[in-house]
Structures are given as structure tokens and as C-alpha cells.
Amino acid sequence: MPFSALGLPATLVRAAHELGLTTPTPIQSEAIPAILGGRDVQGCAQTGSGKTAAYGLALLQALQSDPGHRPRRVRALVLVPTRELAAQVGEVLRSLGQYLSHPLKIVVVFGGVSINPQMLGLRGGADIVVATPGRLLDLLDHNALRLGSVATLVLDEADRLLDMGFAQELVRVLAQLPVQRQNLLLSATFSPAVQKLANQLLREPVHIEVPATQANEPTILQRAIAVDAAQRTPLLCQLIKDNGWSRVLVFVATKYSAERVAEKLYKQGIFATPFHGDLSQGARQQVLAEFKDERWEVVVTTDLASRGLDIAQLPVVVNYDLPRSATDYVHRIGRTGRAGASGLAISFVSPASEAHFGLIERRQRLTVPREVVAGFDPTTAAEPGPVDRSGVPGTGGIKGKRPSKKDKLRAASTRAE
Ligand code: AMP
């Protein structure tokens, strides 16, 4: 079924085609008519399923068919958890809306950069605002915008919004919105907290679920390599060189590790750079742009910095340190295999992190066979790993499975033997 059959005008269909969107993904086929019909939507979809264009196309169509008022009033508000996702969503909306006969003004606001240009950007109003909650509240405090005309609220990556502690900010933002409005809530996972938020927010929503098994969903090959923690960097170098990988996202547990691992790879002749929350916003955007342009082969990153990122054709993700939770695992590996492309997610499993990986497998109801690469056979026996600066076991840990005081004492005595 083509996009035009979903009630979208030629201007939007043309822009979608230019972005490589020719056939709607399942979430687009279901969500676009529902949104255009004014319904609330509860969408369970990973990044990579095409969810941004799903709500983006519908919002643009709805707003352009109702040209609105002068000065412009914010009629659609998209809340996202991270600066990077805000920038990305803004970019997609602008590209999709480029041929509209009544151009819509889309303003993107997020923290970590000066507020003044954003205040200037909001002068004369805006049709769509894409925002992270904290900066949006700052701008509201500065009277830089009003939300009294918002007809549609989108919560994108609602699970991340809550994980990142934005619950209070959400309450304050919601209080400024008209009661009568359309709500779209999208989330990769529906924990009890997310479901509670959905129940509070949504009125008789259309439920859209895009199970990970559908053909259009990321096809990610998951592999696990057993290796001693100390051998992970040499193993990573060898894998990158042997397989000729030119674009790899490597996840580590801490900002410090991101710096250290990137530096070690760089010294081995691999173009690697760190990416984490301590870098300035400008530096982060530059790294992403250069990674997309293939000027970096490897970006070594923490969890926080890489949520929601869409790096087209990212073929390989490596869990150098395991994520702390099964949910984070899903988010990490979801960086590859986007929009039907195949992807590879490799996890390094050391004897100390074996039990953690087992838990991730169980939570996901999957089994990933352990592989061994010649020359990197694990030699150490399974024992609790060294505790790094963050207090997390060196190879990552699982939420709720942190070592107790007793575990640490036991580990210390085992090491001393
Ligand atoms: P998401 O993060 O879920 O919005 O997915 C974004 C990725 O999916 C981007 O790389 C888009 O270009 C791609 N995408 C979205 N819709 C389609 C489509 N209908 N056909 C092909 N690729 C798509």
C-alpha cells in the first residue's frame, strides 16, 4: 500500500520518497490513519520501526490542512528524552514538510546549549515544537512560548523519558496543555510506570504494537563472545580489522572507559572516538555528523549518550561492557538493523559477567550461544569482576543485581586467595 493511500497529500508523499520512504512500515500504515482520525495512540515500537515518520507525516498533514493563525500558535508538541533525538526528530519533520504549500514552522529546543537563540527562534510563534522537557520548562518560565493551543501531544520514547527522571517535568508540562487534545504515546517497552502514564494520558487509544518478529522490524543477529575482560580491547581490534568493519558503535559502562577504549583503539590505527555526556553539545553533534560521514570507524559510547540515535546503516554494535538491564540491551542493539536492514550485535561476555548475560537472555527469552575466538579463549574462572569507579562490576551489571556487601567481601577474599 503506498503512502498516498493513507490519506497523505502528494507534497508529503514526495518528501517521504526523497527520504527513501516508499512503502509504509506497519506502524505507519496503522498510526497515520488513526492520528488523522483524531484518535489517541498507544504505540509499542522500537526506534527503527519508522515511528518518527508515522507521527511526523500525520502531524504535518493535520496541521497543513488547518493553516492556523498568525502569529503562529504551537499546535503540536513533541517531547523526547534526549537532545540528539530532539535534533533528529526536528530534522525528519523539516525534511518531510519541505514541499508543503503552507510551510510549517518547526522549532527544536533542548538543554546544554544557550537558551537565547531558542528564545529568538520562538519569536513569532511556531507550529510544531520538539523539546526535551527540562529546556521546555525553562522556556515556559521565560514566557518564550505558550502551550494553550496544543492540539496534539507526542511523547516519544516514553520509557526513556521516565527512566531519565523526567516524570516531574512531564507533570508540569501537562499542566500547561489544554485538557482537550490528542495524545500519542510511543515507547519501546511498557513497564508498569509507562503503562500507568499511558492510562492517565490516553483516552480510548488505538493500540499499535509492532512485534520485533515482523519482517520490517530490525533483523539483528545477536552473538556473544566469551573473552577475558582484559582481552576485550585486543579482541575488538582484531574483529574490526579482520571483518573490515567501517562503522561500529561500541558500548561501555562509563565515560572514563569510553575515553580509554577509544584511545587504545586509536593507537592501534583504528579511527575511534569517544561519545558521552561530558562532551559539549557542539562536540557531540560533531562526532555524530562525522560518524555518519564515515570519518570515524568506531564511536565508543555510554548508554546515556546513545539513546534514540538513528545512524543510518549502522551495521555493527558491540557491547564491550554489558548493559545494566535487559531493557538497555534492547535499546543498545536497536541502534543497528534499523528499518529492515540487517544488523549485528556482539556482546563480550567475560567469566565475571556470564551470570549477568544469562539474566539478560532470560528476560528476553532468548539464548545466544557463546562463541570463542581463536587466541582469545577465556582463561579465568567465573568470579565477581573488579568493581570499577562507578561501583558497577567491571563488565557491567544488571539492575537489581548489584553485588551486596557480602558478595563484595566474598569476592575480595576469593581474590586474596
Ligand atoms: P524511527 O527511529 O523508528 O523513526 O526509524 C527511523 C529509520 O527508519 C530511519 O532511518 C528512516 O529513514 C527509516 N524509515 C522510516 N520509515 C521508513 C519506510 N517507510 N521505509 C524505509 N525506511 C523507513
Side-chain angles (χ1 to χ4, degrees):
M1 185 207 292
F3 276 105
S4 51
L6 297 176
L8 296 174
T11 44
L12 287 174
V13 175
R14 177 178 163 204
H17 276 214
E18 284 183 11
L19 289 181
L21 284 53
T22 43
T23 311
T25 63
I27 192 165
Q28 290 162 358
S29 311
E30 289 190 60
I32 291 171
I35 299 170
L36 291 177
R39 299 288 305 270
D40 280 7
V41 170
Q42 172 171 324
C44 180
Q46 314 276 345
T47 45
S49 56
K51 65 185 171 60
T52 317
Y55 68 75
L57 285 165
L59 282 183
L60 293 166
Q61 160 63 357
L63 296 188
Q64 71 105 40
S65 51
D66 171 19
H69 315 268
R70 292 288 184 279
R72 295 169 192 269
R73 293 185 193 150
V74 182
R75 287 174 292 151
L77 173 65
V78 183
L79 287 179
V80 296
T82 63
R83 308 153 182 192
E84 283 76 18
L85 187 57
Q88 200 169 287
V89 168
E91 212 175 289
V92 171
L93 290 177
R94 286 194 186 115
S95 304
L96 289 174
Q98 64 184 308
Y99 301 120
L100 292 178
S101 43
H102 299 286
L104 294 168
K105 185 172 166 193
I106 298 156
V107 175
V108 177
V109 297
F110 47 76
V113 292
S114 165
I115 197 167
N116 295 334
Q118 296 177 357
M119 290 178 65
L120 277 178
L122 286 164
R123 283 228 181 122
D127 296 294
I128 303 179
V129 169
V130 183
T132 53
R135 176 52 61 94
L136 180 67
L137 287 171
D138 287 348
L139 287 160
L140 288 165
D141 289 345
H142 282 83
N143 284 322
L145 78 165
R146 290 212 171 84
L147 299 179
S149 299
V150 168
T152 306
L153 167 72
V154 183
L155 293 189
D156 194 353
E157 303 213 349
D159 48 352
R160 288 282 149 219
L161 279 164
L162 294 185
D163 281 356
M164 294 175 72
F166 282 129
Q168 296 293 328
E169 282 85 351
L170 280 183
V171 171
R172 286 181 57 203
V173 172
L174 293 178
Q176 309 225 15
L177 299 175
V179 179
Q180 286 296 330
R181 59 169 197 268
Q182 181 182 36
N183 298 292
L184 316 175
L185 184 144
L186 300 147
S187 195
T189 50
F190 274 81
S191 64
V194 178
Q195 192 54 56
K196 190 173 156 208
L197 176 68
N199 296 345
Q200 285 167 347
L201 213 60
L202 306 174
R203 286 187 208 121
E204 297 175 14
V206 174
H207 289 261
I208 299 175
E209 190 150 347
V210 186
T213 48
Q214 287 209 358
N216 76 307
E217 274 293 300
T219 43
I220 302 168
L221 174 63
Q222 299 180 50
R223 291 172 53 191
I225 301 180
V227 58
D228 284 339
Q231 289 301 308
R232 288 173 299 170
T233 308
L235 172 61
L236 183 57
C237 283
Q238 178 165 317
L239 290 173
I240 292 169
K241 288 180 178 168
D242 285 359
N243 293 291
W245 292 335
S246 59
R247 217 185 295 196
V248 187
L249 192 61
V250 176
F251 285 99
V252 293
T254 63
K255 296 165 189 169
Y256 173 77
S257 301
E259 294 282 344
R260 208 183 34 147
V261 173
E263 191 185 323
K264 283 189 183 166
L265 293 176
Y266 199 85
K267 283 187 181 152
Q268 294 298 315
I270 293 167
F271 285 100
T273 191
F275 183 82
H276 53 70
D278 275 359
L279 300 179
S280 71
Q281 183 59 20
R284 285 159 70 172
Q285 275 167 348
Q286 190 178 346
V287 169
L288 281 185
E290 290 176 351
F291 194 34
K292 283 188 184 180
D293 290 347
E294 298 193 36
R295 284 163 67 187
W296 293 112
E297 291 169 301
V298 179
V299 166
V300 187
T301 182
T302 56
D303 272 312
L304 183 70
S306 277
R307 278 168 192 161
L309 291 189
D310 174 24
I311 299 160
Q313 285 158 15
L314 177 61
V316 187
V317 164
V318 174
N319 287 317
Y320 182 101
D321 286 321
L322 291 182
R324 299 229 356 239
S325 71
T327 308
D328 286 341
Y329 180 81
V330 172
H331 278 276
R332 282 185 180 188
I333 70 169
R335 301 302 119 216
T336 182
R338 296 165 71 73
S342 62
L344 173 62
I346 293 186
S347 297
F348 288 169
V349 183
S350 70
S353 65
E354 179 57 45
H356 298 306
F357 195 69
L359 200 62
I360 290 174
E361 287 179 299
R362 281 198 294 284
R363 295 237 177 112
Q364 281 213 91
R365 296 193 181 84
L366 61 83
T367 311
V368 187
R370 308 295 182 268
E371 300 167 30
V372 173
V373 174
F376 292 93
D377 310 57
T379 51
T380 50
E383 62 166 277
V387 173
D388 70 15
R389 308 164 157 226
S390 63
V392 175
T395 43
I398 299 290
K399 265 180 199 152
K401 280 281 166 191
R402 290 191 187 207
S404 65
K405 222 176 190 179
K406 231 191 238 168
D407 289 337
K408 285 182 192 163
L409 285 173
R410 213 177 285 137
S413 66
T414 320
R415 274 199 294 277
E417 279 165 11

